[in-house]
Amino acid sequence: LYLRINVGGVLHDRMVLLDDPRIRQVDCENRPEKMVSMRGIHKNILIDETRSHIENDSPFFCYMRKDAALRLVRAAEKLPEGWQFLIKEIYRSPAQQRKCFNDYYEECQKNYPELEKEELYGMTCQFVAPVEVAGHATGGAIDLTLMKAGKEVDMGTEYNDEPSPPEYRTYFSCDTISEEAAGNRRLLAQLLTEEGFVNYPSEWWHWSYGDRYWGFVRNCPSLYAPMEENMIT
């Protein structure tokens, strides 16, 4: 998924982003698997009920596909004593996903008027997925961070920061963050990859199981298609 490139003496990752046509070509099994709330599911899994960094008013924002949820519970059981997962966002309706994509595209267009449409589209896809390949809309993708002793730990950036040049510190593999932050990212990765989750590499906080990006990484069909909010019970 990575090709290391040198830009002005700084190493960056050229990644397979969600605008890549190979992601759309991943087959989907579309399993009829129910969504479950993550509230109270395990003592080491907390929900950021403030929603202070997201624009999602859905009552199902912390609902997840059942198999993915069970995998997250198993990961939570392996956390060191006093540590917890803090969920920021899971489910996002297709309509909300489309709005997020369009809003961020317009922001990029305003900030980088010299870029062509194709370049703006690719830039937007670093941070917001097109709805047809969006993991959050399937209930299989999750944004989360780590807590220790009741406080969020240093992950190198704040949650939902933009992948800004030249360091691109939101990139999971960024090597200019502190050793403490890098260690926290490694812990997050170890726990989640052991349970089958994959990371979207421009966002250290974004992990998924069963969506199209997961299927591309694992070279297998995806499990979950986008689900409309009125289908969640």
Side-chain angles (χ1 to χ4, degrees), residues 96-107 124 128:
Q96 181 67 41
Q97 184 71 34
R98 190 173 294 107
K99 182 180 184 301
C100 288
F101 186 89
N102 292 339
D103 287 351
Y104 194 72
Y105 180 92
E106 290 175 5
E107 184 177 338
T124 304
V128 184

Side-chain angles (χ1 to χ4, degrees), residues 38-39 45-56 58 60-63 72 85-92 136 141-147 151-153 155 157-160 204-206:
M38 301 303 290
R39 289 188 180 98
I45 298 177
L46 301 180
I47 312 297
D48 185 351
E49 300 284 3
T50 71
R51 310 195 208 189
S52 57
H53 292 88
I54 64 174
E55 297 180 6
N56 188 340
S58 171
F60 304 109
F61 86 103
C62 62
Y63 277 55
L72 188 65
F85 289 134
L86 178 64
I87 292 174
K88 298 290 188 175
E89 185 176 21
I90 306 176
Y91 175 75
R92 190 185 300 154
H136 285 292
I142 182 171
D143 292 346
L144 78 171
T145 188
L146 291 169
M147 297 185 71
K151 295 183 179 180
E152 293 186 39
V153 304
M155 301 297 289
T157 74
E158 295 295 318
Y159 163 67
N160 245 359
W204 58 259
W205 58 82
H206 182 99

Side-chain angles (χ1 to χ4, degrees), residues 59-74:
F60 304 109
F61 86 103
C62 62
Y63 277 55
M64 196 172 200
R65 296 284 187 154
K66 185 176 181 179
D67 188 20
L70 293 175
R71 291 170 183 273
L72 188 65
V73 167
R74 290 200 295 266

Side-chain angles (χ1 to χ4, degrees), residues 155-157 169 171-172 174-183 185:
M155 301 297 289
T157 74
R169 292 165 68 89
Y171 286 18
F172 185 88
C174 175
D175 53 12
T176 61
I177 59 176
S178 70
E179 180 52 39
E180 178 184 2
R185 290 188 185 187

